[in-house]
Amino acid sequence: MGAYILRRLLLIIPTLLGIMVINFTLVQFVPGGPIEQIIANIEGQGDVFGGFAGGDAGGAPDVGGPGEVGGGSSEYAGARGLPPEFIAELEREFGFDKPPLERFLNMLWNYLRLDFGESYFRSISVIELVLEKMPVSISLGLWSTVIAYLISIPLGIRKAVKDGSSFDTWTSGLIIVAYAIPGFLFAILLVVLFAGGSYLQIFPLRGLTSDNFESLSLWGKIVDYFWHITLPVVASTISAFATLTLLTKNSFLDEIKKQYVMTARAKGLKESRVLYGHIFRNAMLIVIAGFPAVFIGVFFTGSLLIETIFSLDGLGRLGFEAAVARDYPVIFGTLFIFGLIGLVVGILSDLMYVLVDPRIDFEKREG
């Protein structure tokens, strides 16, 4: 197993490199870089030099970051009325005066030293920005995954035991309907019904906590947190549990038909003993072992629309805003960090398989 893990760890390097090369290359052909964003902002305000010097007056930020990422062009739409010296200074500050290959190699060297640079437009490091937004995404990802498992596993087992019954039929119908409803549409429905849209105003509609959160007692803080997170988590979970429920049911149905189950029943064991003492471990292998991947999937893909609907400032909105503003340090920094975490979680998922069922040996399978 050690050799297998070592090989997987070594594969992280070329995989990450390939991800970064592809995305960096694509960015070079995307119009409207950060300099064009600043130029458009400056011309809209009508204050060129004051905006550049002050970083606030004309909308142009202080651009003193490392500037080794992204793409730039010497021809900028809308820049005809600006002095060439000003454009050249912007390119130098962002690092776009260097060839793309040099910018890419500098970026990789900085990433190897865990230096992900500073946001072009927020005067904050990428790491600090990610850590600032992470509580929202962790809350959505963790609770959505936990609730999905708590609902899906018992429901899937019950459906497998009652396969073909009326219970199995109508619950399957509900699951299909829940899976078909887009998460953002269900989120809007929750807002209308329970967050002051048109009917009840039971839950708040903004942020993870109330304004007076710090002054609350420990119990009050816990209640306030769950009060804020209830609707977003429900909206995120509505379609997630459908796949997991059907996966659990099918896993149990496959195991129920095997010979060792018939043998256990022939010995006179109680049905509950057969179900949870023999079938459960084998049937739940794929479900339990996939927990890290499921969580990281929900964590990274935390719905941008759900975050927007409930006014949650998480990683989904961060990525969208960075893409719109062409904030390349944030785009590439988060891409590198999340890509690395995703690859490591893939290894953890394999380890979970071995932990749940020691009979699995990846080294022999590869051999």
Side-chain angles (χ1 to χ4, degrees):
M1 189 64 184
Y4 171 78
I5 294 176
L6 180 60
R7 286 196 296 271
R8 288 290 303 271
L9 289 173
L10 292 176
L11 279 174
I12 289 178
I13 299 175
T15 304
L16 264 183
L17 182 61
I19 293 173
M20 300 306 294
V21 167
I22 292 173
N23 285 275
F24 187 88
T25 303
L26 290 175
V27 162
Q28 308 309 308
F29 301 99
V30 175
I35 295 181
E36 288 181 311
Q37 300 277 343
I38 293 175
I39 290 173
N41 199 350
I42 290 175
E43 293 197 331
Q45 297 292 335
D47 185 0
V48 176
F49 295 101
F52 179 71
D56 292 318
D62 296 322
V63 284
E68 288 96 359
V69 296
S73 172
S74 58
E75 298 292 336
Y76 297 100
R80 297 183 182 87
L82 299 177
E85 297 81 6
F86 174 74
I87 305 300
E89 178 66 14
L90 275 179
E91 290 181 337
R92 186 188 66 79
E93 290 289 341
F94 279 107
F96 294 154
D97 57 332
K98 302 174 183 177
L101 179 59
E102 182 179 350
R103 294 201 306 272
F104 180 72
L105 294 177
N106 287 338
M107 179 184 70
L108 291 183
W109 172 244
N110 287 332
Y111 285 4
L112 289 176
R113 297 179 296 162
L114 300 180
D115 178 9
F116 298 99
E118 186 176 288
S119 169
Y120 283 158
F121 305 106
R122 303 195 187 193
S123 298
I124 183 174
S125 70
V126 174
I127 290 293
E128 291 177 352
L129 197 57
V130 170
L131 293 177
E132 178 185 311
K133 313 297 183 183
M134 195 169 286
V136 171
S137 296
I138 288 179
S139 294
L140 287 176
L142 177 62
W143 293 116
S144 297
T145 305
V146 170
I147 292 175
Y149 269 80
L150 290 177
I151 295 175
S152 300
I153 292 177
L155 181 58
I157 294 175
R158 183 69 175 174
K159 285 175 64 61
V161 173
K162 298 291 185 179
D163 184 44
S165 67
S166 58
F167 173 82
D168 181 41
T169 302
W170 69 261
T171 52
S172 295
L174 289 178
I175 289 173
I176 293 173
V177 171
Y179 184 75
I181 298 175
F184 75 91
L185 187 60
F186 190 68
I188 295 174
L189 178 63
L190 292 176
V191 170
V192 172
L193 294 178
F194 303 111
S198 297
Y199 296 92
L200 304 176
Q201 191 167 4
I202 300 175
F203 296 97
L205 192 58
R206 182 176 298 275
L208 282 181
T209 57
S210 300
D211 294 335
N212 63 335
F213 181 78
E214 295 300 328
S215 63
L216 298 175
S217 63
L218 177 60
W219 176 248
K221 289 180 179 179
I222 294 174
V223 172
D224 183 75
Y225 169 75
F226 282 104
W227 183 46
H228 281 76
I229 203 66
T230 297
L231 293 187
V233 168
V234 171
S236 300
T237 309
I238 186 65
S239 60
F241 83 91
T243 302
L244 197 55
T245 299
L246 294 179
L247 178 63
T248 302
K249 175 190 173 182
N250 292 333
S251 297
F252 267 78
L253 285 177
D254 289 341
E255 293 297 323
I256 287 173
K257 299 175 182 177
K258 291 185 178 178
Q259 184 64 43
Y260 74 91
V261 177
M262 299 179 184
T263 303
R265 286 172 173 166
K267 290 181 178 179
L269 295 178
K270 293 182 178 180
E271 187 65 23
S272 59
R273 179 69 183 278
V274 173
L275 188 62
Y276 294 103
H278 292 76
I279 300 175
F280 186 83
R281 181 172 181 175
N282 294 328
M284 293 306 296
L285 172 62
I286 189 172
V287 179
I288 296 176
F291 181 85
V294 172
F295 169 69
I296 214 69
V298 176
F299 175 72
F300 284 149
T301 60
S303 174
L304 165 64
L305 293 174
I306 289 179
E307 289 182 9
T308 302
I309 291 170
F310 292 103
S311 300
L312 296 174
D313 195 9
L315 294 174
R317 289 184 65 181
L318 173 64
F320 173 74
E321 292 171 358
V324 171
R326 304 296 194 270
D327 198 343
Y328 294 139
V330 176
I331 293 174
F332 288 109
T334 53
L335 179 67
F336 182 88
I337 295 171
F338 297 159
L340 178 60
I341 294 176
L343 292 171
V344 172
V345 166
I347 299 177
L348 292 179
S349 295
D350 290 346
L351 293 178
M352 285 289 291
Y353 278 105
V354 177
L355 181 64
V356 173
D357 189 350
R359 296 173 298 176
I360 295 178
D361 191 331
F362 287 104
E363 291 186 13
K364 290 183 179 180
R365 292 180 64 183
E366 286 190 345

